[in-house]
Amino acid sequence: MHHFTYRDSVLHAEDVAIPMIADAVGTPFYCYSTATLERHYRVFAEAFADLSPLICFAIKANSNQAVLATLARLGAGMDVVSEGELRRALAAGVPGDRIIFAGVGKTRDEMAFALDARIKCFNVESAAELEALADVAQAKGQTAHVAIRVNPDVDPRTHAKISTGQAETKFGVPFAEALGVYARARTLDGIVADGVHMHIGSQITDLAPFERAFQRMAELVDLLRTEGTDIRHVDLGGGLGVPYRGANDIPPHPDEYARVVRETLGDRNLEIAFEPGRMIAANAGILVTRVVRVKSPAGTGDARESAAANDNPTTGKHFAIVDAAMNDLIRPTLYEAHHDIWPVTKPGTQSAGHTAEPTYDVVGPVCETGDYLALGRRLPEVKEGDALAVMTTGAYGAVQSGTYNTRLLVPEVLVSGSAYAVVRPRQSYDDLIGLDRMAPWLSSEAPVASMSP
Ligand code: LLP
């Protein structure tokens, strides 16, 4: 459930009309809803109330400072995967003891920085990383709390690029090697390996893979405890899917997911941690974009006239060319991801008594065929200047944006009730181009070298 709704045919984020923000800020922009972020966090936390888990928001999903602060105020911890994300968590006021550091390639410098921040736990992904962390901790005279990420070799049945829990991926220690890594950890100064970590993938819409993976974790905890490793916490990662197709696409409710956790890992006196990202942020954000131009097949005056011919592939198709592109939202082209697209202002009904819904490819201005937000999508007829909302883009949207084609990073806006704030302004061309430096031999004062024959 989210708080983007129509009032008098105009899309609102909570109590703020989207066209009002679009006029003030320009398009494209990301817009987040505080009430939705809070609701998702609370639904998740309430599902586990009896277990009092540590819920660490996966910053990789949305790292805006205002979003992090919104969640931190509710008691969220943070799951970080780089020094940059750790700095973002600390800057948003999250205490170190609510931060978990994951990731396959932590550098020694990052480890040292995290030790100084007194983070709660390092999720260690390999035997070699464990040795490096021990070196760094010993050199600093500090102790690192560690959970070994164990790869349960379970197929999460999601997109290949966001599956992490199978043996062939780069993530974690193979289940069969885990006991050996814990045995080694017991001998290392500077290391207290009192946790187990897993994460099998993202946008998982079926509870069965979670259940199998949690069973394996339970098995491992029991084995480790019999061997003398005092396991106190289990971090079950993130991964719960979200409805990208509105009511046609209902993923498991957090209550169902919580039932699976209780059935597989309950009664073990464990502190449980989670790292949800998408489930908290995806539906709390939209990307608002404007139609720059509509390109229709020759011979069709406008999209409406040819709407009836949409099913005929020989008539060509309509392109709604919008001002957002793959550099602003890469999910459709990178993961073949579906995002619903809503008109910001619902059109009235046509004279024929129904709303025309031609089929569009909604594409950006970037010079790549893969630059699209939606393909073959039936939408109420659009024209130049119309605003569209690309739904469910609060997770893995702005964070994965770039400046390809020298396009500026777009603003992020946070709404709360009837208030809104620009929580990341639009980048300026001076900011962007000014990141480059001229090489000394290319400056205008330097003589131009003659070409050798
Ligand atoms: N913990 C770890 C160790 C992770 O690798 C991830 C996501 C999460 C937690 C959060 O998972 P979530 O609850 O958000 O599913 N860019 C892709 C998703 C990449 C997910 C990477 N890891 C996308 O747009 O679909």
Side-chain angles (χ1 to χ4, degrees):
M1 206 216 113
H2 59 70
H3 292 261
F4 297 99
T5 53
Y6 287 100
R7 294 189 190 168
D8 294 331
S9 298
V10 174
L11 187 63
H12 283 61
E14 303 186 23
D15 298 329
V16 185
I18 295 293
M20 206 257 283
I21 306 178
D23 287 345
V25 175
T27 55
F29 65 93
Y30 279 96
C31 178
Y32 308 128
S33 150
T34 300
T36 314
L37 287 167
E38 290 180 344
R39 183 190 143 79
H40 290 165
Y41 180 83
R42 289 205 174 103
V43 166
F44 196 87
E46 280 161 18
F48 293 99
D50 54 327
L51 298 173
S52 324
L54 175 61
I55 301 172
C56 291
F57 176 63
I59 291 190
K60 62 174 80 68
N62 187 320
S63 60
N64 187 282
Q65 287 286 284
V67 168
L68 302 188
T70 300
L71 295 170
R73 287 207 318 197
L74 303 178
M78 300 286 154
D79 159 43
V80 305
V81 293
S82 66
E83 180 176 332
E85 286 192 352
L86 175 50
R87 286 177 183 270
R88 281 187 184 272
L90 297 170
V94 181
D97 63 6
R98 301 185 76 78
I99 299 176
I100 284 174
F101 193 178
V104 288
K106 302 173 197 77
T107 66
R108 288 171 187 250
D109 285 348
E110 287 181 314
M111 291 171 177
F113 185 83
L115 282 166
D116 287 341
R118 302 281 189 269
I119 64 161
K120 179 175 173 63
C121 189
F122 290 80
N123 289 343
V124 165
E125 301 241 5
S126 62
E129 181 187 336
L130 185 69
E131 302 291 335
L133 181 58
D135 281 355
V136 176
Q138 286 160 22
K140 295 178 79 65
Q142 294 186 27
T143 300
H145 280 267
V146 163
I148 307 292
R149 177 169 180 176
V150 178
N151 186 324
D153 194 16
V154 163
D155 179 357
R157 301 186 206 151
T158 184
H159 192 279
K161 284 189 181 142
I162 54 175
S163 295
T164 56
Q166 290 143 293
E168 63 271 22
T169 67
K170 68 181 175 183
F171 297 101
V173 171
F175 194 86
E177 292 169 24
L179 292 182
V181 176
Y182 279 96
R184 173 68 181 148
R186 285 197 292 273
T187 69
L188 289 170
D189 288 340
I191 297 288
V192 174
D194 53 4
V196 173
H197 174 233
M198 59 152 268
H199 172 79
I200 55 172
S202 198
Q203 185 54 16
I204 301 171
T205 52
D206 174 2
L207 288 172
F210 283 123
E211 185 169 12
R212 270 198 298 285
F214 297 165
Q215 278 161 351
R216 301 216 83 187
M217 292 303 116
E219 204 183 307
L220 182 64
V221 169
D222 295 345
L223 275 170
L224 286 167
R225 283 178 167 172
T226 29
E227 288 207 336
T229 300
D230 183 15
I231 296 296
R232 290 162 182 244
H233 103 251
V234 172
D235 177 342
L236 298 176
L240 199 57
V242 302
Y244 278 105
R245 292 166 192 265
N248 299 325
D249 174 20
I250 307 290
H253 189 276
D255 287 345
E256 290 295 294
Y257 175 74
R259 182 183 51 75
V260 174
V261 172
R262 277 192 208 91
E263 283 173 8
T264 49
L265 281 148
D267 304 329
R268 279 184 175 72
N269 194 25
L270 287 163
E271 181 192 69
I272 305 221
F274 296 98
E275 303 165 350
R278 193 188 307 266
M279 188 266 150
I280 306 281
N283 251 326
I286 62 175
L287 172 64
V288 180
T289 180
R290 234 182 246 293
V291 177
V292 176
R293 195 151 298 116
V294 177
K295 197 169 152 186
S296 291
T300 60
D302 63 21
R304 190 179 18 185
E305 283 172 23
S306 60
N310 267 318
D311 297 331
N312 181 348
T314 60
T315 57
K317 53 180 157 185
H318 304 283
F319 293 97
I321 304 167
V322 297
D323 61 5
M326 65 188 286
N327 69 297
D328 305 306
L329 179 67
I330 202 163
R331 301 197 71 258
T333 194
L334 188 57
Y335 313 113
E336 295 90 34
H338 171 100
H339 288 268
D340 282 345
I341 295 188
W342 292 7
V344 165
T345 303
K346 274 191 189 170
T349 50
Q350 306 295 318
S351 50
H354 67 277
T355 306
E357 292 215 342
T359 302
Y360 293 95
D361 282 2
V362 181
V363 302
V366 162
C367 302
E368 297 221 17
T369 305
D371 176 28
Y372 56 82
L373 302 179
L375 295 179
R377 193 68 62 84
R378 276 194 188 275
L379 291 175
E381 187 199 352
V382 298
K383 57 183 186 326
E384 180 174 336
D386 285 353
L388 299 172
V390 188
M391 306 304 291
T392 322
T393 49
Y396 306 110
V399 283
Q400 290 192 263
S401 59
T403 58
Y404 186 40
N405 279 204
T406 303
R407 291 170 48 81
L408 302 174
L409 290 180
V410 307
E412 293 173 275
V413 173
L414 180 66
V415 168
S416 179
S418 56
Y420 79 90
V422 176
V423 294
R424 183 178 76 181
R426 194 180 304 281
Q427 204 177 20
S428 73
Y429 287 111
D430 285 347
D431 287 345
L432 179 55
I433 298 170
L435 289 171
D436 296 355
R437 294 287 177 276
M438 197 50 75
W441 60 89
L442 294 172
S443 67
S444 50
E445 293 84 49
V448 177
S450 58
M451 297 265 288
S452 34

